[in-house]
Amino acid sequence: MEKKQELYAGKAKSVFATDNEDFVILSFRDDTSAFDGERIEQLSRKGEVNNKFNAFIMEYLAKAGIPTHFEKLLNGTESLVKNMNMIPVECVVRNVASGSLVRRLGVEDGMELSPPIFEFFLKNDALHDPMVNEFHIETFGWASADSVIKMKELTFKVNAELKKLFADAGLILVDYKLEFGLFKGDVILGDEFSPDGCRLWDAETREKLDKDRFRQGLGGVIEAYEEVARRIGVPL
Ligand code: TYD
């Protein structure tokens, strides 16, 4: 498939058209952003690590029956994916309290959440991704009621699969964010799953092995991503 013009550049990935309108190319850059894009730095190897990490997870989820946009790896930093209409909300599941939940509700960081908590956020950096609920999504037309049900169902299915995958590798899946889109009328998983969009802690030491290392200036960001990749068997 031929790579055509750039359609869109996000904070960490760019999207390119192809000669087939059903497919686009996701290009993972080394750019790393935090605080709604206020801080951006280049971290060497990040594009390649996240591209390969995401490919591994998307293929793993597809085998578990979860529909995704992922088609195939094209090279170190690029993947071919289905060209979806993205739904502009983020689906977050939390198994352990951390991040904005702790800031918002004053609960203890590290508290186990049973049952897990589901939250929707609007994808809007200028508004700092405010939390929204089903009513906002339906009334403002961001997604249909059916799509909302489907996003929740798939996000929890992903939780069951990935909690186990990471637990078997000695890691706690603290929380994560997913984005969905519509492809030929179906809700399917899009965007990426990488340590940029989730929290992963070592099960024994509770060491952070995700983007909080960048947010909190702990260093060793990509080394941590590579450690997670190695433990779950991502070929890097
Ligand atoms: P959350 O704790 O709400 O936000 P913050 O990272 O600002 O403390 O995030 C929950 C999880 O979802 C966390 O692993 C990061 C991820 N996430 C994103 O990757 N992007 C986003 O825009 C949001 C809202 C969350």
Side-chain angles (χ1 to χ4, degrees):
M1 211 161 291
E2 201 188 326
K3 184 174 171 184
K4 301 260 209 187
Q5 78 280 12
E6 183 174 270
L7 298 174
Y8 171 80
K11 294 194 289 283
K13 297 190 292 300
S14 303
V15 180
F16 292 86
T18 69
D19 49 11
N20 182 335
E21 67 177 24
D22 281 344
F23 298 99
V24 292
I25 292 171
L26 272 190
S27 179
F28 290 73
R29 309 194 310 269
D30 285 344
D31 296 327
T32 311
S33 75
F35 313 116
D36 303 316
E38 272 172 39
R39 202 172 120 218
I40 298 177
E41 281 173 35
Q42 270 73 46
L43 294 178
S44 152
R45 304 197 302 288
K46 197 194 78 141
E48 181 153 358
V49 172
N50 278 5
N51 183 40
K52 292 177 176 174
F53 196 106
N54 176 62
F56 179 89
I57 297 285
M58 291 287 174
E59 281 177 345
Y60 186 89
L61 294 175
K63 278 193 201 119
I66 293 158
T68 86
H69 69 157
F70 184 78
E71 289 288 320
K72 62 174 182 182
L73 272 176
L74 293 174
N75 56 53
T77 57
E78 292 181 322
S79 289
L80 186 70
V81 300
K82 294 189 183 77
N83 184 14
M84 309 183 291
N85 285 319
M86 291 303 292
I87 296 170
V89 299
E90 307 187 325
C91 299
V92 169
V93 162
R94 303 173 181 277
N95 296 307
V96 175
S98 200
S100 73
L101 181 75
V102 169
R103 294 194 294 274
R104 200 177 337 119
L105 299 181
V107 295
E108 193 191 341
D109 193 279
M111 174 190 176
E112 193 173 326
L113 302 171
S114 183
I117 289 174
F118 182 100
E119 295 169 341
F120 283 117
F121 294 89
L122 177 64
K123 242 180 105 69
N124 186 320
D125 279 340
L127 298 177
H128 304 291
D129 292 347
M131 189 160 73
V132 295
N133 66 31
E134 279 97 324
F135 289 87
H136 302 99
I137 295 173
E138 207 183 331
T139 298
F140 295 120
W142 298 323
S144 70
D146 281 352
S147 293
V148 165
I149 291 168
K150 194 79 198 171
M151 287 193 288
K152 278 204 281 197
E153 180 196 316
L154 291 173
T155 302
F156 277 111
K157 222 170 150 187
V158 167
N159 198 38
E161 295 298 329
L162 296 190
K163 235 167 60 168
K164 178 160 189 327
L165 171 74
F166 289 117
D168 289 347
L171 297 160
I172 301 168
L173 179 59
V174 171
D175 58 30
Y176 59 92
K177 179 265 299 179
L178 301 179
E179 294 181 28
F180 294 88
L182 289 166
F183 182 74
K184 300 189 191 293
D186 291 327
V187 174
I188 63 174
L189 179 59
D191 191 51
E192 70 177 280
F193 190 102
S194 73
D196 268 4
C198 67
R199 289 191 168 93
L200 290 162
W201 295 351
D202 181 275
E204 290 214 334
T205 64
R206 299 216 143 198
E207 186 189 4
K208 297 177 197 299
L209 297 169
D210 53 61
K211 198 159 119 178
D212 270 349
R213 300 198 70 84
F214 178 74
R215 294 188 191 95
Q216 299 175 11
L218 299 174
V221 180
I222 299 309
E223 289 76 6
Y225 289 21
E226 287 168 333
E227 165 69 12
V228 173
R230 190 188 61 72
R231 285 205 213 174
I232 62 171
V234 179
L236 287 184

